Amino acid sequence: MNILERYHAMEYGPAPEARNEADAWFAARDFGKALFIGGDWKAASGGKTFDTSEPSSGKLLAKVSDANAADIDAAVSAAAKALPKWSASTGYQRAKALYAIGRAMQRHQRLFAVLETIDNGKPIRESRDIDVPLAIRHFIHHAGWAQALDRDFPGHKGVGVVGQIIPWNFPLLMLAWKIAPALAAGCTVVLKPAEFTPLTAILFAEICERAGVPKGVVNIVQGGPEAGAAIVNHPGIQKIAFTGSSEVGKIIRKATAGSGKKLSLELGGKSAFIVFEDADLDSAVEGLVDGIWFNQGQVCCAGSRLLVQEGIADALIAKVKVRMSRLRVGSPLDKNTDIGPLVDLTQLDRVKGLIAEGARQGAVCWQPDATLPSSGYYHLPTLATGVSPANILAQEEVFGPVLATMTFRNTEEAIELANNTRYGLAASVWSENVNLALHVAPQLKAGVVWINGTNMFDAACGFGGYRESGFGREGGREGMFEYLAAKLPLGPVIKPATSSAQPVEQAGGVAIDRTAKLFIGGKQVRPDGNYSIAVATAKGKLAGEVGLGSRKDIRDAVSAARACKSWPEATAYNRSQVLYYLAENLSGRASEFAARLTELTGANAKAARDEVELSIERLFLYAGLADKFEGRVHQPPARAVTLALHEPVGVVGIVAPDNQPLLGFVSLVAPALAMGNTVIAVPSERYPLLATDLYQVIEYSDVPAGAINIVTGRSAELAGVLAKHDDVDGLWLFTDAETCAKAEADSIGNLKRVWSGNGRSLDWASEEAAGDALLRRAIEVKNVWVPYGD
């Protein structure tokens, strides 16, 4: 037998990773005292524990303290006690602590990797070469942000005590994603790991002790749903950061509605893996292996939907099957293993059930001919073909090693199929034509797009989704903003509008008609219900009437806003010109608007003129920033650049306040328009004529039909309709506290981005209520990874 024949005859032998150090760690630790609170190790106050088992065998690893509400309260108290000193420490002091954590993790990185693999079931190659190094990278990277905080985030401070809840699929990495930016910002932390995977969080707490992190700055509490709910509902926590399922994310959104807590959600996904006919198929197959079978498919951004162009579908599927047949399923501590066990029996049963249902709905499910280990929660990699867009395998997050395949004919169809999901976390585009790839990437509703690659992450580059994949970003500059707050200048408390109609004295003089219509789709239209409401002057006399908008009118306005493609697709320079033109035309009628302000609000002539002039100035500001509030280019430590693109949120509903009614309206609508959003605006309920007087200004300022829609009426009622409408992507509310809270709770249908004043308005004349603070709320940041080199 020659050397070539010997090479082809070779088989992989076992290459187990030693676990003796991990076993020694198990033996030395009392898991009945696994709560790390205020720098001390404690047992759960209720004495309860839960079991954590090894997925590869099902054997019990440990009985771990199960925290209850009293334990969470103790952890929050410890974090609150540590907060003043930690937040007042210098950036350099916090940087040293973060760096010390990173260096200590480096010294123990093999123990971290082995524990992660034992506890989670992921192959040791992944935990050793990806998870642990990237977790370390996050702490060292954020040490730099801690020291640069005042320079890069002027006027911002840490939000306070942060509650963090992480999942079981990347236990250590998710911990690092959350704790590192929080500590850099000057926050203190109460973190709850998943019940299935508590071990590396316990080791991390030990690292914090060794690294000299002050007591109470990091608190790690093991527990189940009771502990999670206690964190979400605790009044001493100022921010919740959650990674997990969309269903739980919606529960948290509803639970925190009206609380004023800052919230970031990184939820599920159903990511598209798009292969065009000019792609390098062998590279695409390897990318696909990484995209869907990495961590057994238990990845929120897994490329679980393969969209392949018709002309190459058969060839690619054949290659995929050959590659699947060579994937090695086995012990996760074996360095030759590609696919380890799923995390738990419940997850294994769920995956099997979804595959069975997908097959019942018409999918053809194929698996390689391989033998599974006799014990543990293993599942073969599965390829589903003949999948319709409505099939459960194309729509639901399986969270297992299952790939659903569909074909497309052209670019437009590929984009339509990719966006045919309620999720929007990630996507992968494969083409040798970079022009095509960069044409497709901005059209995908996903927070991260990888070109000719997949599952690329770095601490310098933001990660997060659109739609029901959540909101907020983790990593990079945008990830730091999630743990920072800037004090906006508060205006008056907003009182609920009285429901009873107030008598309005008829004004003197003769007028043919004083009724202003709604403004929808570029036209003045009557309200669907044909009702109107009277608007009084400051002296209680009739100033005019406005249409009483209804649910149907909001639906029409949303349809018009969604249909307006020319505004979000316009260049930033073009939007800038239109906003300048709006300011120019409003300036030409400044005296008329000042008189209207005086008539309605009773403001003196100077104050009214100042509000109009400041409204014009605000339009000028956002016109000038439309093409200057731009994205960034990140340079991660890889052969790639990451384009952090600023994209509009989409259709944004705005409920404007009564104070400074013209300036408040303009200050909210202008930044949304500047960033390319289309708007449904509900103007001041008390002074709506200031908005209806803008109709003609809008009509002769070259604003495309549907870019601005104005529906007058009862703010609370219309806010509720906007909140429940699943074609509204964002909602800005400056109305009474009860209406704000209800709208936040009602927004969970599509997890729209909600910005609420929580019953307070702002001082719209202040500089702090203008500029970047509002522009950041008007955008999504999409990170597009573009690799280079051979």
Side-chain angles (χ1 to χ4, degrees):
M1 182 180 287
N2 62 38
I3 189 65
L4 187 60
E5 290 172 330
R6 288 183 180 275
Y7 173 78
H8 286 299
M10 286 175 63
E11 293 183 358
Y12 284 92
E17 174 72 40
R19 57 178 291 166
N20 53 302
E21 291 294 330
D23 289 334
W25 181 82
F26 276 112
R29 167 145 287 286
D30 180 3
F31 291 99
K33 293 182 178 179
L35 308 184
F36 186 66
I37 298 175
D40 297 322
W41 293 98
K42 299 181 179 181
S45 60
K48 291 175 62 179
T49 62
F50 63 86
D51 295 347
T52 184
S53 301
E54 189 169 2
S56 63
S57 65
K59 293 180 180 178
L60 178 69
L61 288 170
K63 289 183 175 292
V64 182
S65 307
D66 189 355
N68 60 20
D71 300 313
I72 299 302
D73 189 58
V76 174
S77 296
K81 183 179 179 180
L83 180 64
K85 188 174 181 179
W86 180 251
S87 61
S89 63
T90 67
Y92 173 52
Q93 289 170 324
R94 295 197 300 276
K96 286 195 295 182
L98 284 159
Y99 179 72
I101 290 172
R103 290 290 287 125
M105 291 177 70
Q106 282 181 327
R107 291 194 297 273
H108 299 278
Q109 59 184 332
R110 186 54 65 94
L111 177 58
F112 271 112
V114 174
L115 279 179
E116 194 82 326
T117 288
I118 291 172
D119 202 20
N120 169 274
K122 64 177 59 189
I124 186 65
R125 290 203 318 262
E126 295 176 9
S127 54
R128 180 195 65 197
D129 299 340
I130 300 172
D131 291 25
V132 176
L134 189 51
I136 293 166
R137 158 82 170 143
H138 270 265
F139 282 100
I140 294 176
H141 173 81
H142 283 90
W145 277 128
Q147 203 162 357
L149 204 64
D150 292 338
R151 185 198 70 187
D152 285 80
F153 303 93
H156 288 75
K157 290 187 178 296
V159 71
V161 176
V162 177
Q164 301 176 324
I165 302 172
I166 59 173
W168 46 259
N169 57 336
F170 290 91
L172 182 65
L173 187 54
M174 293 296 101
L175 177 151
W177 280 21
K178 289 191 165 45
I179 290 182
L183 298 192
C187 302
T188 55
V189 167
V190 176
L191 179 137
K192 189 193 87 67
E195 288 172 279
F196 289 151
T197 52
L199 299 181
T200 47
I202 295 171
L203 177 58
F204 176 80
E206 294 177 357
I207 291 293
C208 289
E209 286 184 293
R210 298 172 193 171
V213 177
K215 292 185 176 184
V217 170
V218 174
N219 303 274
I220 295 180
V221 285
Q222 315 294 338
E226 181 185 353
I231 289 174
V232 169
N233 295 315
H234 200 290
I237 287 177
Q238 285 77 51
K239 174 187 165 61
I240 298 294
F242 172 77
T243 296
S245 71
S246 296
E247 290 71 25
V248 176
K250 290 180 179 183
I251 292 170
I252 293 173
R253 164 75 280 186
K254 192 167 186 176
T256 57
S259 67
K261 292 178 182 177
K262 199 167 185 178
L263 180 64
S264 55
L265 300 173
E266 197 266 281
L267 307 177
K270 196 68 185 174
S271 301
F273 190 102
I274 309 170
V275 183
F276 286 95
E277 59 189 2
D278 64 345
D280 179 337
L281 297 191
D282 290 328
S283 294
V285 169
E286 292 308 309
L288 192 59
V289 168
D290 186 36
I292 182 57
W293 292 301
F294 174 59
N295 196 21
Q296 295 73 256
Q298 299 171 132
V299 184
C300 54
C301 56
S304 55
R305 290 185 299 146
L306 172 60
L307 310 181
V308 55
Q309 201 154 12
E310 282 184 352
I312 58 166
D314 291 343
L316 182 64
I317 295 300
K319 287 177 176 288
V320 170
K321 287 183 175 180
V322 169
R323 187 66 178 87
M324 288 174 66
S325 67
R326 294 174 181 166
L327 292 172
R328 295 177 295 280
V329 181
S331 168
L333 282 174
D334 190 327
K335 301 181 191 71
N336 291 323
T337 291
D338 296 305
I339 297 179
L342 298 180
V343 73
D344 187 75
L345 180 60
T346 56
Q347 184 65 13
L348 178 60
D349 289 342
R350 181 179 184 276
V351 171
K352 289 179 177 178
L354 286 169
I355 291 173
E357 178 60 23
R360 192 190 68 79
Q361 294 179 9
V364 177
C365 297
W366 181 89
Q367 295 175 335
D369 184 13
T371 302
L372 293 178
S374 57
S375 63
Y377 312 126
Y378 291 90
H379 195 287
L380 286 172
T382 304
L383 175 67
T385 55
V387 177
S388 70
N391 190 291
I392 194 169
L393 297 179
Q395 291 297 323
E396 294 299 323
E397 185 179 35
V398 177
F399 227 60
V402 182
L403 177 64
T405 305
M406 291 171 278
T407 61
F408 63 87
R409 290 167 291 185
N410 53 41
T411 302
E412 291 72 24
E413 191 174 271
I415 294 167
E416 186 175 357
L417 280 171
N419 290 336
N420 181 34
T421 172
R422 70 180 190 273
Y423 299 109
L425 189 54
S428 185
V429 180
W430 292 77
S431 171
E432 290 295 280
N433 182 346
V434 73
N435 290 330
L436 173 61
L438 290 174
H439 168 69
V440 170
Q443 299 181 70
L444 299 176
K445 293 296 183 184
V448 180
V449 179
W450 298 293
I451 293 176
N452 292 329
T454 190
N455 283 341
M456 292 183 278
F457 308 99
D458 187 61
C461 307
F463 180 86
Y466 294 7
R467 296 175 168 176
E468 291 187 39
S469 289
F471 44 78
R473 294 292 181 266
E474 297 191 278
R477 182 181 178 84
E478 53 264 41
M480 281 301 302
F481 275 116
E482 299 298 329
Y483 292 92
L484 295 168
K487 285 190 176 180
L488 291 175
L490 294 176
V493 173
I494 302 173
K495 297 179 180 179
T498 55
S499 56
S500 57
Q502 299 295 320
V504 178
E505 182 183 344
Q506 293 293 321
V510 178
I512 296 174
D513 187 18
R514 294 172 179 267
T515 305
K517 300 176 181 177
L518 312 182
F519 190 72
I520 298 176
K523 298 177 182 179
Q524 298 185 45
V525 298
R526 298 183 187 279
D528 179 71
N530 277 321
Y531 286 100
S532 60
I533 51 176
V535 180
T537 68
K539 296 180 179 179
K541 295 190 176 183
L542 181 68
E545 296 185 11
V546 296
L548 181 61
S550 66
R551 182 185 304 271
K552 175 63 165 59
D553 298 310
I554 291 291
R555 287 206 304 265
D556 291 344
V558 173
S559 295
R562 185 63 68 185
C564 178
K565 304 296 184 185
S566 58
W567 186 252
E569 292 174 0
T571 65
Y573 175 54
N574 179 250
R575 295 196 299 270
S576 172
Q577 287 179 298
V578 172
L579 289 171
Y580 275 130
Y581 198 22
L582 265 173
E584 177 186 336
N585 290 328
L586 178 58
S587 178
R589 296 176 60 179
S591 297
E592 174 187 337
F593 276 86
R596 178 70 95 175
L597 268 168
T598 297
E599 175 194 24
L600 294 175
T601 68
N604 62 46
K606 181 180 183 306
R609 183 72 190 200
D610 287 347
E611 182 170 341
V612 175
E613 288 299 328
L614 193 49
S615 299
I616 296 166
E617 182 183 330
R618 203 56 54 86
L619 282 168
F620 252 71
L621 171 69
Y622 289 114
L625 291 175
D627 59 355
K628 297 175 186 64
F629 189 73
E630 298 177 302
R632 293 169 174 255
V633 177
H634 300 304
Q635 295 176 279
R639 293 185 305 166
V641 292
T642 308
L643 313 178
L645 306 179
H646 285 182
E647 296 188 338
V649 170
V651 175
V652 176
I654 294 174
V655 181
D658 288 338
N659 72 306
Q660 300 165 295
L662 178 63
L663 179 58
F665 183 87
V666 168
S667 295
L668 289 167
V669 170
L673 291 174
M675 294 295 98
N677 299 283
T678 55
V679 169
I680 300 99
V682 177
S684 159
E685 182 174 334
R686 189 174 179 186
Y687 309 117
L689 292 174
L690 286 160
T692 63
D693 287 350
L694 285 170
Y695 293 173
Q696 288 182 328
V697 176
I698 295 169
E699 286 172 332
Y700 53 68
S701 296
D702 296 337
V703 179
I708 307 176
N709 305 274
I710 300 174
V711 180
T712 54
R714 308 296 185 197
S715 294
E717 178 185 337
L718 299 179
V721 177
L722 285 165
K724 293 177 181 177
H725 201 303
D726 286 352
D727 251 357
V728 176
D729 303 300
L731 182 57
W732 299 356
L733 295 160
F734 285 88
T735 182
D736 65 277
E738 183 180 350
T739 299
C740 289
K742 189 174 187 306
E744 287 179 13
D746 288 343
S747 71
I748 63 171
N750 67 339
L751 281 175
K752 59 177 61 66
R753 285 83 176 117
V754 179
W755 174 33
S756 163
N758 292 309
R760 295 290 296 268
S761 190
L762 299 181
D763 175 8
W764 300 105
S766 64
E767 290 185 4
E768 294 85 355
D772 288 8
L774 275 74
L775 290 172
R776 276 195 299 272
R777 300 181 184 278
I779 62 164
E780 295 276 18
V781 180
K782 172 181 285 179
N783 282 273
V784 179
W785 288 71
V786 185
Y788 56 79
D790 295 331

